[in-house]
Amino acid sequence: MAESNRAGPADPDATNCQAVSPAALKQRAQQSPGPRQKYQSPAPGHCFKKVTLTKPTFCHSCSDFVWGLIGFLCEVCNFMCHEKCLKTLQAICTCMAPSQVQVPVAHCFSPAGHKKRFCCVCRKQTEGSTALRCEVCELHVHADCAAFSCADCRCCHLDGNLQQLDTFHHHWREGNLPSAARCEVCRRSCGSSEVLTGVRCEWCGITSHATCYRHVPPECTLGRLCSMLLHPACVRLTSRNFSKMHCYRITESCSQDLDNPEEADPPAAAAKDAQPAAPESGKQLIKVFDGDDAVKRGFFRLVPTCRDTKNEEVEAAMRAFYLPDEPHLFELEDSSDLLNRNASGPDNRNAPKDGGDARLLRAKPWRDDVIKVYAAWARSRSASISVSKTSTAASVLREVLLHLDRQGDDASNLRLQEVYMSSKQVQRQLLDPDEKIVDKLQEIRKLSLRQMNQTRFYVVENRNPAVEVSLLIVGLPPLLTKEEHRGLVEEHLKIKSHLVMFTHFYETQGAVALQVSCFSEAERIYMLAKDVSIYSKTLTSLVIPEIEHKKLGGDVCPLLVFVNPKSGGLKGRELLYGFRKLLNPHQVFDLSNGGPLAGLHTFREVPRFRVLVCGGDGTVGWVLGVLEAVRHKLVCREPPIGIVPLGTGNDLARILRWGAGYSGEDPHHILVSVDEADEVQMDRWTILLDAQDISEDGKENGFLEPPKIVQMNNYFGLGIDAELSLDFHLAREDEPDKFTSRFHNKGVYVRVGLQKISHSRSLHKELQLQVDNVQVQLPNIEGLIFLNISSWGSGADLWGSESDARFVRPRIDDGLLEVVGVTGVVHMGQVQSGFRCGIRIAQGSYIRLTVSRPIAVQVDGEPWTQEPGHIIISAAGPKVRMLRKTKLKQKKSAASRDGRLESPSSRDGGH
């Protein structure tokens, strides 16, 4: 915050308070006599009073039960504690939170789930649809409290406003710890499901009591996941006006009201404070605004007050807005005239309606001010400077250099910068050297006292750094030349060639990468691309960070995470949230926003990395296909790939031991399993489908459609099993909202199968099969399946485990396909039940099929109807490297039982 201290005309000690900190002012206010006795605490900002407890209560400091009928409650932030904890309290009040920010970083708010959490502002439980959570850190707030939270999110990259430090420190977040969390210092339990208590580092995951964490060494080692985590010092992103949602490629699914919490329904914004109890006798609720901006937006707080006691009115209003200064420096004005002028103005959609008294909280006139100015080159260094009406930005700058022992620095190379640390966006503004500081402070206070509390000043270098914004444009028509892609982008996005450079072309994916040397042009292209369609396909634009791979340690192998949020009945959405909190969000990609190419392009210069794909078999095949298409542009051309099974069948995940389906496992445990997984090789196959008009005697009469090539990882089926997949696919396309659970999907498969139980088709009369150039006679079958893995149809062993001298035992890396037949739906059901296996026909590495009639086919669960013609299956280049989960040990390691390794997302249960 600006941390300015004022000496108003009513202050008898005005001449002695110029250099007094807000904490000292608050402590002095607590010591002053008044209608109620206030209790002192070493933690700044709190205003404790003794209360009588009427229900079971827990201490927010030590998390223990408060025995007896007496507790101590902060009237500002609702902090409750024992009398013994009051003397050693370390947790600061919410009103002082802006003063503790090390690096201002905005949050990425989205609607929270329905799990039990506690608001980090008012410390009350969040519930219902009004709760918000940050997608990057463990901040949970009520919608109406979000305006009072500050920009204290994790710093996940370097930009032009931050300088790299020699050491990387912990980033502490209070409360919402796992119930099994234990203090790193005293080893006692520090988590609670009843109150907001304890602190946790959001990088390494260690937990501690609020009174113990100061004994923890400040340097953070990134914890158990350090070998797969992308260190913030290795990521550079110059963003300026791009929001954090854009920088982290987070889909903006929130309503427009969430972008401006202040503009939420005004009565709802204040209802929480008015609900606990009815106004006492002689008191009423009044609407209080904290500045002209609040009046314009209609953002007020309901404050219970007594007409006869003006000092209590001001104090209650300051508590409602979480302001830490002394009450006698403020006053409540009648805001009727201002409200009437605002209501008659053009922008009056949020103007409060008539109904109750309204007051405007204003700062009284002052003679002197003290501001705290921070040094951008050293985050812990600052200086408190006294300012008067004649003080300018240049004079303040000279005094700051004097206090910081930097007198030899050339002041012309430095500037004073104003930083507004709003929870949604950090706004920076350079002050002119001749600008009057007192006038600036007065302007901010008149606009919003809350904004003044969240504003601070920095000394920064006066330079114009080179602007390099990287954008990835996805959605162009594929298989065009570079010149054609360049022409389409220049035509539809009207780019300025002297500001934009094409750096990468992905012809097969229909994407181009741009480097823009102007913020305004980058922002224009980014927003315009979202509204442009080419050949009926909307473009997608993404902000891409730069990974400085030379800074990565030799033992670091960062993990690139792809999540399909549409898989697994919305479980993918919660996995996205969990992985963003545990890792650097710049290494977690939403596949519904740009596909796999965005992540592979970001990691193109990383010499060594692993990939984790969260989705079904189709999602894994999608990622493998894109990787195959762009691997020649990657430094690490064969990254090993792990799987979190979110689909229906998950056959590939089964044979790699990742399980039959995701059942709510803690994301931290998943990442540890990926780190410990073994690498194995797996064959991939290319299928050439050459549709031709083939007569009954086998003669070719011309092409029916152009040939196409598809990649196969698991299996390729023709006939009855493909017909079932096709019927299921068509049913899902008709009603996609109903196919959100694995159980329902399998039920539809069963229903479709029963409809086909009487189906009869002599497939052996319509197909001719060659295996390794040898003609193979087909038995009387209804379906023909080519297997690359030993799991088919959600875990069934179609080939069987019995040994056969004619064939070798199948492996995923043996370079052979197994050819199996099924006689119908009943046979398939028996295979699924484990009573039978399929009819073994052949093994080989080169397959040629001749199809005489249209037939249903499916590749890895993706079905369609194939016209007559030739089908050729052959090996697809080099084998792919996959990650196979290590076998589970009989006993869990002590580390896995330790609360330090249980991520906060584990409290989401099954998500």
Side-chain angles (χ1 to χ4, degrees), residues 188-254:
R188 295 177 58 226
S189 174
C190 61
S192 174
S193 60
E194 302 297 332
V195 291
L196 189 78
T197 185
V199 295
R200 173 184 180 271
C201 174
E202 295 188 300
W203 286 109
C204 66
I206 65 171
T207 55
S208 174
H209 293 104
T211 54
C212 295
Y213 82 96
R214 298 182 187 275
H215 300 289
V216 178
E219 185 174 358
C220 180
T221 60
L222 299 181
R224 172 65 180 81
L225 306 178
C226 61
S227 61
M228 63 172 58
L229 197 145
L230 199 58
H231 198 288
C234 301
V235 185
R236 185 168 295 276
L237 178 62
T238 308
S239 56
R240 201 180 74 163
N241 288 340
F242 285 109
S243 72
K244 291 302 176 185
M245 304 288 278
H246 297 157
C247 295
Y248 299 138
R249 304 161 307 280
I250 298 175
T251 305
E252 298 183 24
S253 58
C254 306

Side-chain angles (χ1 to χ4, degrees), residues 435 730 781:
E435 189 166 357
L730 295 175
I781 55 176

Side-chain angles (χ1 to χ4, degrees), residues 540-551:
T540 299
S541 56
L542 300 167
V543 181
I544 301 298
E546 176 190 357
I547 298 179
E548 299 181 341
H549 59 91
K550 294 182 180 179
K551 295 182 179 180

Side-chain angles (χ1 to χ4, degrees), residues 385 392-404 406-407 409 411 416 433 459:
I385 307 298
T392 63
S395 65
V396 169
L397 183 58
R398 289 192 295 269
E399 289 191 51
V400 172
L401 295 178
L402 184 63
H403 282 74
L404 299 179
R406 301 285 291 264
Q407 301 93 324
D409 291 3
L416 198 63
V459 175

Side-chain angles (χ1 to χ4, degrees), residues 280-286 303-314 332 334 356-359:
E280 299 177 11
S281 177
K283 294 186 177 181
Q284 64 175 358
L285 294 176
I286 64 171
V303 177
T305 184
C306 177
R307 291 181 179 275
D308 300 330
T309 312
K310 298 299 181 184
N311 290 337
E312 286 191 16
E313 280 188 15
V314 174
L332 285 172
D334 186 359
D357 294 337
R359 299 285 189 272

Side-chain angles (χ1 to χ4, degrees), residues 569-646:
L570 303 181
K571 291 180 179 178
R573 173 72 181 82
E574 289 301 322
L575 273 178
L576 262 176
Y577 171 63
F579 287 141
R580 283 196 185 112
K581 289 191 305 177
L582 293 171
L583 301 172
N584 190 321
H586 287 301
Q587 60 188 114
V588 182
F589 289 80
D590 181 349
L591 286 175
S592 65
N593 189 19
L597 181 61
L600 294 174
H601 175 70
T602 302
F603 276 63
R604 65 191 181 278
E605 295 183 354
V606 178
R608 191 166 64 101
F609 66 93
R610 288 182 165 190
V611 177
L612 179 63
V613 181
C614 307
D617 289 339
T619 302
V620 177
W622 181 20
V623 173
L624 287 173
V626 176
L627 176 61
E628 178 68 26
V630 304
R631 71 168 66 246
H632 62 285
K633 295 181 181 290
L634 305 179
V635 174
C636 178
R637 299 193 172 187
E638 297 180 2
I641 299 172
I643 304 172
V644 176
L646 296 182

Side-chain angles (χ1 to χ4, degrees), residues 511-563:
V512 297
L514 309 177
Q515 184 171 300
V516 189
S517 59
C518 174
F519 281 123
S520 300
E521 177 68 3
E523 292 158 7
R524 185 191 67 83
I525 293 174
Y526 179 87
M527 300 307 296
L528 179 61
K530 295 178 177 295
D531 299 325
V532 171
S533 297
I534 299 179
Y535 300 158
S536 301
K537 186 175 181 180
T538 304
L539 298 182
T540 299
S541 56
L542 300 167
V543 181
I544 301 298
E546 176 190 357
I547 298 179
E548 299 181 341
H549 59 91
K550 294 182 180 179
K551 295 182 179 180
L552 293 172
D555 59 341
V556 174
C557 181
L559 183 68
L560 172 59
V561 181
F562 292 115
V563 182

